[in-house]
């Protein structure tokens, strides 16, 4: 191809028209991708999360639904002074800005107080060990009740005047009273000693006593009476 022919084709309107069309297509694709992504990700949209703390779960769902947000319960807690299904915590925190459709995670108040399983401490440890273990587990302890028994040894646990046993589930709101020995033996624990019985060997072995009892002379009788009669 001669240089003159190449230059003439380069100056051709058909070639420029194709190049312009390709450039327009590329620009449109770039703009479409940009705006499409913005629409998909809600670009520029920011919804302020309201404060849901101490709000009933049903009311929170209604408010968040109107804002285009969702709510999900992830945990429960317990506060005696608050009603059941009351929101205790939320994430993200109030005031943070999120996009439409974002999920707000909440912790609600349980209608029942949580329970803890009583460990095996009855007749198994000292008062100091029992109180340390129960306190670490979250139990509420009252003043220990001292009863006759080995000093500082745990003999029982009372909850509202009732004896409880190891493995029983007890409310964290209940107060435990530890029954502990005062070092004094109870009268019920006294030991009665009984003399051992000696078996009757005569009856068991059918033995006959070969010895005869010899009586002495009666009073006023001469000691040689029997001797004279024998002569």
């Amino acid at each position: 191809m001669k240089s003159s022919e190449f230059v003439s084709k380069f100056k051709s309107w058909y070639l420029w028209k194709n190049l312009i069309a390709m450039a327009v297509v590329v620009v449109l694709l770039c703009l479409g991708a940009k705006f499409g992504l913005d629409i998909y990700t809600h670009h520029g949209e920011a919804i302020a999360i309201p404060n849901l703390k101490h709000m009933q779960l049903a009311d929170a769902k209604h408010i968040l639904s109107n804002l285009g947000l969702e709510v999900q319960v992830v945990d429960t807690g317990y506060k005696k002074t608050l009603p059941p299904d009351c929101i205790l915590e939320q994430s993200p925190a109030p005031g943070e800005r999120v996009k439409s459709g974002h999920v707000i995670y909440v912790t609600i108040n349980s209608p029942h107080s949580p329970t803890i399983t009583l460990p095996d401490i009855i007749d198994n440890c000292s008062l100091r060990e029992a109180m340390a273990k129960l306190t670490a587990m979250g139990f509420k302890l009252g003043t220990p009740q001292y009863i006759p028994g080995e000093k500082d040894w745990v003999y029982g646990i009372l909850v509202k005047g009732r004896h409880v046993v190891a493995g029983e589930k007890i409310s964290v709101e209940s107060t435990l009273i530890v029954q502990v020995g005062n070092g004094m033996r109870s009268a019920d624990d006294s030991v009665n000693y009984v003399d051992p019985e000696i078996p009757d060997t005569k009856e068991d072995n059918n033995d006959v006593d070969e010895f005869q009892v010899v009586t002495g002379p009666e009073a006023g009788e001469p000691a040689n009476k029997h001797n004279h009669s024998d002569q």
Side-chain angles (χ1 to χ4, degrees):
M1 181 182 294
K2 295 181 180 181
S3 59
S4 58
E5 293 178 355
F6 177 77
V7 171
S8 63
K9 287 186 177 181
F10 185 76
K11 291 181 178 180
S12 171
W13 170 245
Y14 178 77
L15 176 62
W16 282 105
K17 185 171 63 175
N18 288 338
L19 292 175
I20 293 172
M22 291 175 62
V24 170
V25 171
V26 171
V27 171
L28 291 177
L29 287 174
C30 292
L31 292 175
K34 181 180 183 301
F35 288 108
L37 186 62
D38 289 344
I39 294 173
Y40 179 76
T41 58
H42 305 280
H43 181 70
E45 180 184 20
I47 302 173
I49 300 177
N51 186 2
L52 307 176
K53 195 171 183 179
H54 297 170
M55 187 181 297
Q56 287 296 114
L57 179 61
D59 297 335
K61 286 182 176 180
H62 180 71
I63 292 174
L64 294 177
S65 178
N66 291 337
L67 293 174
L69 303 175
E70 299 179 14
V71 62
Q72 181 177 339
V73 178
V74 293
D75 199 2
T76 58
Y78 180 75
K79 284 191 177 181
K80 188 176 181 180
T81 56
L82 295 176
D85 291 337
C86 177
I87 296 177
L88 302 177
E89 301 292 340
Q90 70 178 87
S91 178
E96 291 192 23
R97 295 185 173 274
V98 296
K99 298 183 183 299
S100 177
H102 195 86
V103 178
I104 312 301
Y105 301 97
V106 297
T107 299
I108 63 172
N109 197 35
S110 173
H112 306 291
S113 61
T115 59
I116 309 176
T117 302
L118 184 69
D120 185 15
I121 60 173
I122 300 174
D123 201 22
N124 197 33
C125 62
S126 66
L127 174 63
R128 182 177 179 181
E129 294 171 337
M131 294 189 71
K133 190 168 187 177
L134 293 174
T135 302
M137 294 180 67
F139 285 105
K140 294 171 60 177
L141 301 179
T143 304
Q145 181 184 93
Y146 287 89
I147 61 175
E150 184 179 345
K151 186 174 178 60
D152 291 337
W153 190 250
V154 175
Y155 287 98
I157 302 290
L158 294 176
V159 175
K160 297 180 180 179
R162 179 179 67 87
H163 280 93
V164 293
V165 297
E168 190 168 340
K169 293 187 179 296
I170 302 172
S171 170
V172 295
E173 297 296 317
S174 299
T175 301
L176 274 61
I177 304 298
V178 181
Q179 289 184 315
V180 59
N182 57 10
M184 299 177 63
R185 184 180 292 275
S186 172
D188 297 335
D189 296 335
S190 60
V191 179
N192 296 323
Y193 293 97
V194 179
D195 293 334
E197 296 183 359
I198 300 176
D200 190 351
T201 56
K202 293 182 180 180
E203 295 181 358
D204 294 341
N205 300 326
N206 295 324
D207 294 336
V208 179
D209 190 358
E210 297 178 355
F211 296 97
Q212 295 181 357
V213 178
V214 179
T215 58
E218 297 181 0
E221 184 179 355
N224 57 356
K225 178 178 178 181
H226 295 282
N227 295 332
H228 289 290
S229 61
D230 294 337
Q231 293 178 352

